[in-house]
Every structure is written in structure tokens, then in C-alpha cells.
Amino acid sequence: NRLDKLEFAIAMHLIVCVSKKNLGVPTILPPSLQVLKDRVHAAPPPPAQQQQQQQNVGGPGVGT
């Protein structure tokens, strides 16, 4: 239900393109932005997030 940081940045970029550069609103995400989104979302989370996820799985209180 919320945009992540990348989705927010893409949305703001498109807003600037429409409002300041007088470009049309795209009906689909342009390929250059789709590639960026796919690349970032396919990457594994940073080590701090991986550690937090591991602590949440099977952590204290699980199975009690």
C-alpha cells in the first residue's frame, strides 16, 4: 500500500518531467526506468536488512 524509496523517486521524476518539461504522462513505465526498477528490486537486501530478517525468523517467542 506504500511506495518504497525507488518507486517514490521514479514517481517524483515523472512528475517533474510532466510539470516542468511539458512531457506527456506515460501510460507505462518507460523502459529505462523499468530496467532500473527491476535491477534494484532483484538485488539482495543490504546486510543490515538481511540480519534483521534472520532475527525475525525463528526469533524469541516463536513456537511458544
Side-chain angles (χ1 to χ4, degrees), residues 5-45:
K5 290 178 183 179
L6 176 63
E7 292 167 337
F8 178 80
I10 289 172
M12 291 304 298
H13 172 73
L14 292 173
I15 289 168
V16 168
C17 287
V18 170
S19 65
K20 302 214 183 248
K21 298 181 180 181
N22 295 321
L23 299 175
V25 178
T27 56
I28 61 169
L29 194 59
S32 59
L33 295 176
Q34 185 64 48
V35 168
L36 175 65
K37 184 175 182 260
D38 292 343
R39 186 181 311 151
V40 169
H41 285 176

Side-chain angles (χ1 to χ4, degrees), residues 51-64:
Q51 186 178 26
Q52 183 181 14
Q53 288 173 352
Q54 289 173 355
Q55 289 173 352
N56 291 339
V57 176
V62 173
T64 57

